[in-house]
Amino acid sequence: MESDVDCFPLKDISSVVEVFKTELGKDEPNLAKLSIILGFFETALTCKGSSSSCPGLDKETFDALYGKFQALIHKDFNVNKEQKPASRDFVVNVADLVWSCLSKSYFKDKPHIQNLYSFLTGKYD
C-alpha cells in the first residue's frame, strides 16, 4: 500500500473523507482499510473521556492494525491467486474465524464491535 503514504497522518475529518472518496472510487476498494480508519475515528470521538478535538491516525498505527488483520486472515486462508470473487462460504468462514477469535472479555453481542478497529484493539466502549 505504498500509495497510502501520502494520506497519512489523518488529522481531521476532511482527510478521512478524502481517503474514503479515493478508496471507494477504485474498482476494488479495500474495505478492511476503511473499517480500521472509520473505527479509529469513531472510537476516538465517541468513547468516554474523549476530547472534543479530532484525533490523528498515523501510518505506523494503521500499518500495525492492518498487519494484525492480514496475519489473522492469512493464517487460516490461502491467498486468492485466481482473483475470484468471494463466495458466500468464504465470507461465512472469515466471519466464523473473527468470531472465534473474540476472547471471553468481549461481549459478543456488543453493538460497537462493528468495525475492525474495535475488533483488533478491544476498544468498543
Side-chain angles (χ1 to χ4, degrees), residues 54-122:
C54 188
L57 176 60
D58 59 60
K59 177 100 172 101
E60 294 77 23
T61 301
F62 172 80
D63 285 344
L65 293 169
Y66 190 79
K68 185 176 178 180
F69 176 71
Q70 289 295 315
L72 175 69
I73 296 301
H74 289 290
K75 180 181 99 176
D76 287 356
F77 297 100
N78 294 324
V79 176
N80 184 2
K81 293 178 184 171
E82 297 86 30
Q83 297 293 310
K84 294 180 182 176
S87 67
R88 183 183 190 292
D89 287 339
F90 179 78
V91 173
V92 168
N93 289 335
V94 170
D96 288 345
L97 170 68
V98 170
W99 192 260
S100 71
C101 291
L102 293 174
S103 69
K104 299 260 189 248
S105 65
Y106 283 91
F107 296 100
K108 290 187 178 183
D109 60 346
K110 187 81 171 173
H112 285 306
I113 301 179
Q114 62 191 13
N115 56 59
L116 290 178
Y117 180 82
S118 297
F119 168 67
L120 296 168
T121 63

Side-chain angles (χ1 to χ4, degrees), residues 40-58:
F40 171 83
F41 282 93
E42 175 190 17
T43 301
L45 294 171
T46 61
C47 280
K48 298 172 192 162
S50 66
S51 67
S52 60
S53 63
C54 188
L57 176 60
D58 59 60

